[in-house]
Amino acid sequence: YVEIGGEKRKIEFPERELGNISYELDKTYQGMYEWISDIISKKLSMAYYRLLKYKNAEKLTAEEELALGRMMALEGIFRTILLKRLESSIQAFRTSITNHIKFLHDLKKHMLQGKLLTKQSFNKYVMGADEELEDFVQELEKINLSDYRKDELFGDIDKDIDYLNAILDKIKDIKTEQDAKLKVLATKLLELSKKGQIIVFTYYADTLNYIHEAIANEKEFSGLQIAKISGATGVQTREKIVKEFLDKKIDILMSTDVLS
């Protein structure tokens, strides 16, 4: 039993029946999925993560070598996050690409002023790309650009900006009706809604908002009650929605893992 809204409810777990739903992600990206993933995996220089490689020194100190190794590990994490966002939804990916372009422009601006993100602030930026976090505060520390091969460094940052702008230019106008993954989801939801209530979990809040808006505005779903819960949903509102779902007043509930 669990207590919800001051009432004790008996929770019964049915036997699970697991199945796969196939979709063609490349159709969502208009045949560009391989091109995009190749840029993310192989062509982006990720210059900031390799900053110490641009240092004017014949050999890095042992401490610098360790710092470089840690940053390159973060580089791998960030590439993986971008690929996860690419797979999650077109909207989540567009948001990530837009944010990273802004980040790189800010990075250049700060460096020209002799400032650089602190390690803690940068770590929060990287991990924030994989979580429901608000915009982080940019905490800066001093950097002496004369210690680095500035032209080479800025040239690689500019190349990354060009790559990301090329991707954004290709995907910015892809409409929901062109989203093959979303179409498969909508078809499956209509099928399952005839059998009972549905809960849809998404990893990213961006994806949640995207699919909720798209599905809720489809005329095929006009007879169904659809609600969503994310980290931005207040506790009282969250409890109210859960109670309404248990009372069968909501047909489809969409949520991030905050509901778990």
Side-chain angles (χ1 to χ4, degrees), residues 18-243:
L18 305 181
N20 292 322
I21 301 173
S22 299
Y23 58 90
E24 295 181 67
L25 195 59
D26 195 45
K27 281 188 177 180
T28 294
Y29 288 97
Q30 312 296 294
M32 295 181 289
Y33 179 82
E34 189 174 338
W35 172 72
I36 294 170
S37 58
D38 184 64
I39 289 175
I40 294 171
S41 302
K42 300 174 184 176
K43 294 184 178 177
L44 291 179
S45 71
M46 297 288 188
Y48 177 86
Y49 300 83
R50 299 165 182 257
L51 187 62
L52 288 168
K53 281 198 169 186
Y54 297 87
K55 197 164 185 184
N56 290 319
E58 289 186 13
K59 188 177 180 181
L60 297 177
T61 66
E63 185 179 343
E64 287 173 333
E65 287 285 1
L66 283 172
L68 177 60
R70 286 194 293 268
M71 289 299 287
M72 289 178 67
L74 276 176
E75 171 194 327
I77 290 171
F78 190 66
R79 287 186 198 268
T80 300
I81 289 170
L82 286 180
L83 291 170
K84 283 170 64 179
R85 302 272 294 179
L86 174 69
E87 195 278 337
S88 181
S89 71
I90 181 72
Q91 185 57 33
F93 185 61
R94 271 193 291 244
T95 300
S96 287
I97 295 299
T98 302
N99 287 346
H100 200 54
I101 291 170
K102 181 182 182 302
F103 169 78
L104 292 177
H105 280 300
D106 286 348
L107 175 65
K108 285 179 60 182
K109 180 185 72 177
H110 292 318
M111 290 181 77
L112 286 170
Q113 296 170 350
K115 299 291 179 67
L116 189 68
L117 282 182
T118 63
K119 290 181 179 63
Q120 294 86 348
S121 187
F122 181 73
N123 290 352
K124 188 172 182 182
Y125 167 74
V126 173
M127 300 316 294
D130 203 36
E131 298 175 12
E132 287 189 70
L133 293 179
E134 299 298 325
D135 291 340
F136 71 104
V137 177
Q138 296 191 8
E139 299 169 358
L140 304 173
E141 60 188 8
K142 291 182 180 179
I143 182 175
N144 189 349
L145 264 184
S146 63
D147 292 339
Y148 298 84
R149 299 188 302 279
K150 176 192 164 188
D151 290 344
E152 184 183 347
L153 171 60
F154 276 48
D156 284 345
I157 293 172
D158 285 336
K159 285 178 187 175
D160 282 1
I161 291 173
D162 288 342
Y163 274 128
L164 296 171
N165 273 321
I167 291 173
L168 189 60
D169 185 61
K170 295 283 189 183
I171 67 171
K172 63 180 171 44
D173 295 324
I174 295 177
K175 306 287 194 298
T176 54
E177 55 266 26
Q178 297 171 288
D179 190 336
K181 183 179 180 182
L182 186 62
K183 285 181 181 178
V184 171
L185 174 65
T187 300
K188 194 66 181 178
L189 289 177
L190 285 172
E191 175 192 326
L192 292 174
S193 66
K194 296 172 184 174
K195 301 177 182 179
Q197 293 171 285
I198 304 165
I199 299 179
V200 179
F201 282 106
T202 75
Y203 190 88
Y204 296 111
D206 297 321
T207 298
L208 170 68
N209 295 332
Y210 171 68
I211 64 173
H212 177 265
E213 182 178 355
I215 297 296
N217 288 330
E218 284 287 332
K219 61 181 180 182
E220 291 91 343
F221 291 88
S222 59
L224 298 172
Q225 294 299 314
I226 303 172
K228 69 171 181 176
I229 291 175
S230 70
T233 309
V235 174
Q236 288 185 333
T237 302
R238 194 184 308 172
E239 289 180 353
K240 178 177 178 289
I241 291 173
V242 169
K243 185 176 186 302

Side-chain angles (χ1 to χ4, degrees), residues 3-9 197 229 235-250 253 259:
E3 188 171 313
I4 298 174
E7 297 180 27
K8 280 193 174 181
R9 299 288 186 98
Q197 293 171 285
I229 291 175
V235 174
Q236 288 185 333
T237 302
R238 194 184 308 172
E239 289 180 353
K240 178 177 178 289
I241 291 173
V242 169
K243 185 176 186 302
E244 287 179 348
F245 183 81
L246 291 173
D247 289 337
K248 302 190 183 301
K249 294 177 182 178
I250 293 173
L253 178 56
L259 185 62

